[in-house]
Amino acid sequence: MPDLKPLPPHLIGGNFLLTETDPSLVFTPEDLTSDQRLMAQTAEKFMEKDVLPNLEALEHQEEGLLPKIFRKAGELGLLSMGVPTEYGGLGLDKTSTIGVEEQVTRLGGFGVTCGAHRGIGTMPLHYFGTEAQKQKYLPKLASGEWMGAYALSETGSGSDALSLRTKAELTPDGKHYVLNGTKMWISNAGWADLFTIFAKVDGKVTAFLVEKTFPGVSTGKEEHKLGIKTSSTRRVILEDAKVPVENLLGEVGKGAYIAFNILNIGRYGLGAGAIGGAKESIKVATRYALERSQFGRPIASFGLIQHKLAEMATRTFAGESVIYRTAAMIDAVQETGEMMDSTTPPFPRSLDEFALECSIIKVACSEILDDAADETLQIHGGYGYTEEFPAARAVRDSRINRIFEGTNEINRLFIPGLLMRRAQRGRFPLVEAITKVTKELLDMSPSDDTAEGDDLAPVQSLLANAKKLVLFVSGVAYQKHGEKLGDEQEIVASLSDMIIDIYLAESALLRTLKTRNVRGSASAMVDLTLAFTNDAVGRWEQQARRALAAISQGDELKTQLGIVRRLLRWTPLNGVAIERRIAKRLCEVGSLSALVASK
Ligand SMILES: Cc1cc2nc3c(=O)[nH]c(=O)nc-3n(C[C@H](O)[C@H](O)[C@H](O)COP(=O)(O)OP(=O)(O)OC[C@H]3O[C@@H](n4cnc5c(N)ncnc54)[C@H](O)[C@@H]3O)c2cc1C
C-alpha cells in the first residue's frame, strides 16, 4: 500500500460514494473570482476575432493558417496556463483555466488541437521531465512556438495500449535510442514539433521526447475524419529514429505510469471542453427555436422542443458542476505538493487521486455533449442537416470525444475496477462500506422513510440511498463473481452508470445548496437539480435491476429487488412542469450561464 498522507474526506478520490459533503466545501462556477474569469474572457475575444471568422479556411486546413493562429493563442497565454512561471507559463490552477477550455471548443477541431497540446502534449514533460528537459522544451511549448503531441496508439493497439509494438534499442555507444514502429491517430502530428512517444525497451514500455527533426522521424498523410477537420491527425513513422539518451522521459520500463496518469488529466480536460461545447449548443439551439416559426408560432413554444432544451440545460448543468468541483479538488491536492513516492518516477498525487472522477467526467461530459449536439441538429430540422448552420459540424465534431482518451467503454470498465483495486491495496475502505450497508439493508424492516422538508431534502436522502444501493449491488456482484467480476462487463457497466449519475446528481445538488445559501434563492438551479434527479431515479432503478437480475434469481432476487424499491422510494415530480419552467427561462435569457445566474 502506498504510504499516503491523510486527506480531508472530500478530497479523497471516490469518497463521494461513502460520505456526504458539506456544500460549502465544493467549488462552483459561481465561486470564480474576476481574476479567474479573465482568462476565459481573453479566450472568448480571441475565438471571436481570430478563430471563428476563419472557420472555413481552418476546416480546409489552409496552409500555414492554423500554426499562425496557434502562435497567437500562445502570445495571449492561452497555451501556458498550467505551466509553471519559471518555464514561461502562467502557473494557473485548474479552476482558472476551465473557461479557456470551454471557449476553444466552440470550434471542436481547434479545441482538440489546443487541448492535445496543453494536456497530453505538454503535461508528460511538465510532470515527468528532468530539469534539463523542462528548461529545454517547456518554454517553447508554453509560448506556442512549438506544438506538442502524445503518441501512444498504434494500428494494432488502441484500447489495449500497452500491447504496443514500437521498439527502442540503445546504441552500442550508449548515446542514443533507435526507435522503430508506427504510431496511429496522433493528434497535432501534422504540425507538432515535439512528440511524447511510447516504445518498448526490452519489452518494457518507456517514454521518449522526440523532436520532429530527429533523423528517421516522419508523419503520414492527413486522415480523412468524420469531424474535427480543423485538427491534424496523422501517423507518426519511426524508421531507425535516433533519439538522444537525454530524451528518455522518466525511466526505462516506467512509461505506463506516464501514459496513464497523463490520460487522467487529459480526461478531465476533455470533459471541461465538452461542457463548453454543450453550452454553446444550448445557445445555438435556443436562439434557433425562438427564431423559427411553424404552425404560426415559434417552435420554442412547443412542449417537445421545450423538453429538448430543458434536458440539454439540465444535463449540462450537472456536467458543469462536476467539472468545477473536481478541478478544485485536483488543485487542492496539487497544493499539498505530495508525490506518489512509492512509484518510479514519482509523480504528483493530484494526477492519481481523482482518476475515478476524471473517468466519470470523460464519459458523462462526452455523452452530454453528443446528445446536446444531436438535439440541436434536430431542433434545426432539415436546416440542421445542411452546412448552412453550425449544428451539423457540431455533431461531427462532438463524436470523437467518446472514442479518444480511452473509449467510453474502457472508462466505464475502469471506474468500478479502480475502486476495487484501491480497496485491495488498503487505500479505500470499500469492503467495509459494502459489508456495513448490506447488513443494514438486510436487517431493515420496510418503512416509509421518504424525507420531508424543503424541495431539496428528498433529493439529499435519495442520494444517500443511491449510494447505499450501488454499494449493495457491488457487494452482491462481488459475492457471486469474486475476482472475476471484471469479466462480467455488463454488470460492471451498470455499476459504473450508477456511480456516474451519483457524482453528477450530488455535484448539482451541492452547487445548488451552496448558491442558495449565499444568494438566498436559486430557483433555476433548484429546478435543474430536481429535473436531473427525477430522471436519475429511473436510471438507478433500471441499472440496479439489470445487474441484480443477471446475478441472482428466485426468492433471493425478489428480496434484492425489494431493497431496490425501498431505497429508491421517490414520489415522481411533475417533470413536464419543471422542464417547461426551465425552457421558458432559458428562452428568456438565452444561455445556461444566464439561466443559472438568475435567482
Ligand atoms: C481523431 C483521433 C485522434 C486521436 N488522437 C490520439 C493521440 O493524440 N494520441 C494517441 O495515442 N491516440 C490517439 N487516438 C487513438 C485513440 O485513443 C484510440 O482510437 C482509442 O483508444 C481506441 O482505440 P482503437 O481505435 O484501436 O479501438 P479498439 O481498441 O480496437 O476498440 C474498438 C471498440 O472495441 C471496444 N473495446 C476494446 N477493448 C474492449 C474491452 N476490453 N472491453 C469492451 N470493449 C472493448 C472499444 O470501446 C471500441 O468500441 C486518436 C484517435 C482518433 C480517432
Side-chain angles (χ1 to χ4, degrees):
M1 173 195 156
D3 191 14
L4 295 171
K5 298 197 183 96
L7 286 168
H10 72 289
L11 293 181
I12 298 172
N15 211 29
F16 68 90
L17 277 175
L18 309 187
T19 55
E20 288 192 20
T21 299
D22 188 304
S24 66
L25 295 175
V26 297
F27 188 84
T28 74
E30 292 66 39
D31 298 323
L32 285 172
T33 62
S34 49
D35 274 356
Q36 285 179 310
R37 291 176 200 271
L38 212 58
M39 283 311 291
Q41 287 157 7
T42 307
E44 186 178 7
K45 279 191 203 138
F46 164 71
M47 288 302 289
E48 272 160 19
K49 184 163 166 284
D50 295 287
V51 180
L52 298 176
N54 289 309
L55 198 146
E56 281 307 316
L58 283 168
E59 288 280 282
H60 289 97
Q61 297 212 353
E62 187 183 294
E63 187 66 30
L65 181 60
L66 188 287
K68 193 172 120 205
I69 292 178
F70 180 79
R71 274 194 291 279
K72 176 87 192 277
E75 283 162 24
L76 293 170
L78 301 176
L79 304 174
S80 64
M81 297 165 303
V83 175
T85 47
E86 60 267 37
Y87 303 108
L90 296 179
L92 296 178
D93 55 16
K94 289 245 162 302
T95 41
S96 312
T97 62
I98 302 170
V100 176
E101 317 254 13
E102 288 185 354
Q103 283 297 326
V104 292
T105 43
R106 287 169 68 186
L107 178 54
F110 188 69
V112 168
T113 302
C114 295
H117 167 76
R118 281 195 290 109
I120 55 179
T122 302
M123 291 301 126
L125 168 66
H126 173 191
Y127 287 116
F128 296 94
T130 61
E131 188 53 34
Q133 289 168 340
K134 289 198 253 191
Q135 292 288 356
K136 184 168 180 188
Y137 294 123
L138 259 186
K140 285 183 177 155
L141 292 172
S143 68
E145 184 188 343
W146 276 24
M147 193 185 282
Y150 169 99
L152 177 64
S153 306
E154 299 182 1
T155 46
S157 59
S159 302
D160 183 13
L162 298 185
S163 67
L164 61 93
R165 295 168 73 103
T166 298
K167 279 193 186 149
E169 283 176 19
L170 193 60
T171 52
D173 63 7
K175 290 191 175 158
H176 291 88
Y177 282 94
V178 176
L179 271 59
N180 277 291
T182 300
K183 292 291 171 181
M184 183 85 191
W185 311 117
I186 305 310
S187 298
N188 290 350
W191 305 302
D193 303 276
L194 187 70
F195 298 89
T196 302
I197 290 188
F198 296 86
K200 283 186 178 164
V201 177
D202 298 328
K204 290 177 276 183
V205 178
T206 306
F208 297 90
L209 295 168
V210 179
E211 295 182 26
K212 79 167 174 201
T213 52
F214 284 170
V217 179
S218 63
T219 57
K221 60 179 176 29
E222 276 299 322
E223 301 292 344
H224 288 291
K225 304 183 296 262
L226 172 71
I228 54 165
K229 290 177 187 289
T230 304
S231 73
S232 166
T233 316
R234 297 185 186 206
R235 292 178 187 224
V236 177
I237 302 154
L238 304 156
E239 291 169 307
D240 288 333
K242 272 182 94 175
V243 179
V245 281
E246 305 84 76
N247 282 37
L248 176 73
L249 184 64
E251 293 174 22
V252 169
K254 303 297 179 185
Y257 278 127
I258 300 176
F260 292 143
N261 282 294
I262 289 304
L263 283 180
N264 289 340
I265 290 295
R267 285 168 187 162
Y268 160 81
L270 180 151
I275 289 303
K279 282 162 74 176
E280 182 69 12
S281 275
I282 292 171
K283 272 192 208 163
V284 170
T286 307
R287 196 165 50 229
Y288 187 82
L290 287 167
E291 281 166 5
R292 174 74 175 167
S293 283
Q294 286 293 281
F295 302 97
R297 41 197 265 220
I299 58 169
S301 67
F302 296 121
L304 288 184
I305 299 295
Q306 290 174 2
H307 166 66
K308 290 183 195 303
L309 293 174
E311 196 164 61
M312 284 157 72
T314 298
R315 294 183 61 208
T316 306
F317 171 71
E320 187 181 54
S321 306
V322 286
I323 294 286
Y324 280 80
R325 178 183 182 184
T326 311
M329 286 154 58
I330 296 173
D331 284 341
V333 175
Q334 178 74 21
E335 268 172 34
T336 66
E338 188 178 0
M339 303 293 282
M340 302 285 287
D341 283 331
S342 59
T343 59
T344 36
F347 59 85
R349 180 174 182 180
S350 55
L351 291 188
D352 171 84
E353 190 62 38
F354 303 109
L356 177 105
E357 285 78 359
C358 291
S359 275
I360 291 179
I361 282 173
K362 196 276 174 180
V363 173
C365 298
S366 62
E367 293 178 5
I368 289 169
L369 171 61
D370 247 8
D371 291 347
D374 185 65
E375 290 292 31
T376 299
L377 190 152
Q378 189 69 13
I379 288 173
H380 282 68
Y383 293 102
Y385 204 67
T386 70
E387 296 301 327
E388 208 177 318
F389 288 85
R393 195 185 56 249
V395 166
R396 288 197 307 270
D397 286 356
S398 73
R399 188 61 182 81
I400 184 59
N401 291 298
R402 282 162 55 198
I403 297 173
F404 57 19
E405 306 266 356
T407 64
N408 283 16
E409 291 76 22
I410 293 296
N411 274 286
R412 279 192 160 88
L413 297 175
F414 177 77
I415 291 167
L418 178 84
L419 283 179
M420 285 180 197
R421 279 196 300 282
R422 285 195 179 170
Q424 279 161 357
R425 287 185 210 138
R427 189 173 157 190
F428 189 71
L430 182 66
V431 179
E432 297 81 338
I434 289 175
T435 312
K436 182 165 168 269
V437 161
T438 306
K439 184 167 178 336
E440 177 193 321
L441 293 175
L442 291 173
D443 290 351
M444 201 163 94
S445 55
S447 68
D448 187 357
D449 51 4
T450 314
E452 300 284 333
D454 78 4
D455 41 7
L456 293 175
V459 176
Q460 274 173 301
S461 80
L462 177 76
L463 258 168
N465 280 351
K467 293 179 189 183
K468 287 181 187 169
L469 181 63
V470 77
L471 291 172
F472 173 68
V473 179
S474 303
V476 173
Y478 193 75
Q479 220 173 10
K480 171 82 183 278
H481 296 289
E483 300 292 316
K484 294 200 180 306
L485 178 55
D487 296 341
E488 305 300 316
Q489 293 195 340
E490 302 89 331
I491 296 174
V492 174
S494 287
L495 293 172
S496 209
D497 281 343
M498 292 167 75
I499 294 171
I500 291 170
D501 263 334
I502 288 171
Y503 194 46
L504 265 74
E506 185 183 70
S507 300
L509 173 70
L510 293 171
R511 175 179 176 186
T512 302
L513 289 169
K514 182 175 184 182
T515 308
R516 196 169 64 176
N517 288 344
V518 172
R519 288 191 203 154
S521 91
S523 57
M525 285 196 196
V526 170
D527 272 347
L528 291 162
T529 302
L530 292 177
F532 189 89
T533 317
N534 205 31
D535 286 346
V537 188
R539 296 193 292 270
W540 282 320
E541 182 171 8
Q542 190 197 7
Q543 296 297 353
R545 289 168 68 92
R546 176 175 156 80
L548 291 171
I551 301 165
S552 311
Q553 43 191 311
D555 286 346
E556 193 183 31
L557 177 60
K558 276 190 198 148
T559 308
Q560 290 165 355
L561 295 180
I563 288 175
V564 176
R565 275 194 300 279
R566 214 180 328 142
L567 285 176
L568 296 181
R569 199 188 299 273
W570 170 262
T571 309
L573 302 172
N574 182 349
V576 171
I578 296 173
E579 287 186 347
R580 284 186 183 175
R581 280 202 299 272
I582 293 171
K584 182 168 176 288
R585 279 200 229 179
L586 184 60
C587 288
E588 283 162 8
V589 296
S591 70
L592 180 65
S593 303
L595 174 69
V596 296
S598 65
K599 285 197 170 182

